[in-house]
């Protein structure tokens, strides 16, 4: 086979550090579960008891690993959303709920940064959310904690976010409408999942706007924390 020749150097594959290790997790795709906590669904004006899970995507190069979030252009209302992030070591289609946890490499804490004003305009017009959700820097993420370093898969535990020291979001992983295995199973009915996929699993209530100079501190019990400066 002839050697491949590119017209320009290809971009490096995005990676996330693995906690307690010098290894890196290569990222293939980023999926996000929408409105997966009842209190957040209600604060956004939706009925969590009537909606099946739905999903959207961010781009792997939207990841932020250096602790700095640059306020994006064309928006005056950017919100934080703290989330449990699931890192997959395997995948497939139509994955049974009972088989989903065996595919998980590890977990971490992340933020789904959202241009809320652009999202509201897209919703009103019936248009896609990419400009609101998949912009540069919209996926801050901490180091991935392998399942092998945990006492088990986290099914409960506090998930919080502080803004400039003030508590803004507080929930529990047990409050998810769709559990992690259920979300993975439902997602695999729409897409073929694979090793390297990240799944952001939704946010509890209390989302709010950020401003330049803010300091965000996100934390999930047993999985560490994530500090982000808004610039």
């Amino acid at each position: 086979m002839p050697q491949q020749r590119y017209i320009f150097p290809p971009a490096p594959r995005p990676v996330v550090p693995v906690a307690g290790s010098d290894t890196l997790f290569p990222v293939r795709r980023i999926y996000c579960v929408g409105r997966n906590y009842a209190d957040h669904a209600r604060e956004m004006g939706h009925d969590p008891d009537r909606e099946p899970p739905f999903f959207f995507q961010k781009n792997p190069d939207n990841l932020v690993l250096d602790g700095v979030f640059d306020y994006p252009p064309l928006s005056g209302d950017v919100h934080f959303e703290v989330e449990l992030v699931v890192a997959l070591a395997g995948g497939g289609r139509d994955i049974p709920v009972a088989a989903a946890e065996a595919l998980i490499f590890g977990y971490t804490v992340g933020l789904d940064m959202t241009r809320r004003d652009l999202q509201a305009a897209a919703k009103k017009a019936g248009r896609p959310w990419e400009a609101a959700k998949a912009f540069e820097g919209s996926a801050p993420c901490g180091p991935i904690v392998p399942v092998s370093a945990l006492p088990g898969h986290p099914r409960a535990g506090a998930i919080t976010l502080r803004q400039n020291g003030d508590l803004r979001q507080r929930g529990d992983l047990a409050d998810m409408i769709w559990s992690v295995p259920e979300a993975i199973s439902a997602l695999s009915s729409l897409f073929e999942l694979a090793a390297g996929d990240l799944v952001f699993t939704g946010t509890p209530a209390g989302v709010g706007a950020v401003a330049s100079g803010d300091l965000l501190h996100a934390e999930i019990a047993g999985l560490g924390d994530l500090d982000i400066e808004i610039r």
Side-chain angles (χ1 to χ4, degrees), residues 65-221:
L65 303 173
D66 64 359
V68 176
F69 172 81
D70 290 316
Y71 203 98
L74 301 179
S75 178
D77 190 25
V78 176
H79 283 207
F80 52 76
E81 298 186 8
V82 60
E83 309 205 2
L84 172 71
V85 181
V86 180
L88 298 183
R93 293 183 183 271
D94 299 317
I95 299 165
V97 172
E101 284 189 339
L103 303 174
I104 297 173
F105 169 76
Y107 299 86
T108 189
V109 56
L111 297 176
D112 170 15
M113 302 301 289
T114 303
R115 287 163 159 162
R116 192 70 74 200
D117 45 1
L118 299 192
Q119 184 188 37
K123 288 179 180 178
K124 186 176 181 180
R127 293 175 178 171
W129 291 6
E130 277 84 357
K133 289 288 193 178
F135 57 94
E136 285 74 9
S138 62
C141 195
I144 296 169
V145 180
V147 172
S148 60
L150 297 170
H153 293 274
R155 300 185 180 95
I159 175 171
T160 59
L161 183 136
R162 293 181 181 273
Q163 182 180 30
N164 302 321
D166 297 325
L167 185 63
R168 300 299 188 195
Q169 290 186 270
R170 181 176 179 84
D172 195 287
L173 301 180
D175 296 335
M176 289 185 187
I177 299 170
W178 302 94
S179 69
V180 168
E182 289 171 335
I184 290 172
S185 178
L187 186 58
S188 72
S189 71
L190 297 168
F191 303 94
E192 183 169 3
L193 304 182
D197 289 345
L198 296 179
V199 183
F200 283 60
T201 59
T203 194
V207 300
V210 299
S212 180
D214 281 353
L215 298 176
L216 304 180
H217 179 80
E219 188 169 351
I220 298 178

Side-chain angles (χ1 to χ4, degrees), residues 6-67:
Y6 298 99
I7 59 172
F8 53 82
R13 187 169 185 178
V15 295
V16 178
V18 176
S21 166
D22 61 357
T23 58
L24 300 171
F25 181 90
V27 179
R28 174 179 174 265
R29 294 179 183 171
I30 299 177
Y31 298 100
C32 304
V33 186
R35 304 180 197 133
N36 200 25
Y37 287 76
D39 51 1
H40 174 60
R42 293 188 185 100
E43 81 174 340
M44 300 304 292
H46 300 276
D47 183 349
D49 298 324
R50 296 185 179 180
E51 295 183 340
F54 75 95
F55 307 94
F56 56 91
Q57 292 189 41
K58 291 179 181 282
N59 301 311
D61 61 2
N62 295 158
L63 288 165
V64 169
L65 303 173
D66 64 359

